[in-house]
Amino acid sequence: LTNHRAPLLFAEGTTAGEGRLLPFRPALFAAVAPPRDPALRVQPVAIDYGTDQPVVAWPRHENFAVNAGRLLRRRAPLGVTLHFLPPIDPTGRNRKEIAAEAEAAVARTLGASVAAADPV
């Protein structure tokens, strides 16, 4: 943000599978609450893997190398649709409020239920 570059973060921290969305991690939104630039917006993006979602899910027992290797060795293409949702103005909101709004927008778009908080 300091260098005027857009950061990218995966607010769940992982993928849950089974049509569930894990709670967004509010700490990841701390850099934008309060915003240093009044023009700054948070751009939620819902990533929809459709029927390929179970293939992309990152099970707890897999480390990064195993998960990445499994996906990279896959011969069939993965279906994915990106939904760019309305930007969120973080002005006057704390990181928890921003995370909750982004999470709700993604959940509505994917028709997903939000799973219980991950104890990790």
Side-chain angles (χ1 to χ4, degrees):
L1 292 174
T2 301
N3 294 326
H4 303 288
R5 300 182 101 183
L8 170 70
L9 62 90
F10 289 88
E12 284 182 281
T14 187
T15 56
E18 298 98 35
R20 295 179 306 137
L21 184 66
L22 292 174
F24 283 14
R25 299 180 184 275
L28 297 175
F29 294 87
V32 297
R36 294 182 186 119
D37 179 344
L40 184 116
R41 298 294 180 266
V42 174
Q43 175 67 67
V45 178
I47 304 172
D48 185 355
Y49 293 102
T51 59
D52 285 330
Q53 200 287 327
V55 175
V56 178
W58 190 338
R60 277 187 173 278
H61 68 276
E62 280 186 348
N63 64 33
F64 176 77
V66 172
N67 182 265
R70 181 173 54 80
L71 291 175
L72 291 171
R73 284 190 304 274
R74 180 181 161 88
R75 292 180 188 252
L78 287 170
V80 62
T81 302
L82 300 178
H83 301 272
F84 289 83
L85 307 176
I88 298 169
D89 181 355
T91 304
R93 298 181 183 166
N94 65 41
R95 61 187 175 84
K96 291 180 181 181
E97 293 168 330
I98 299 165
E101 185 174 339
E103 178 184 292
V106 170
R108 277 191 309 273
T109 300
L110 297 179
S113 60
V114 178
D118 189 356
V120 175

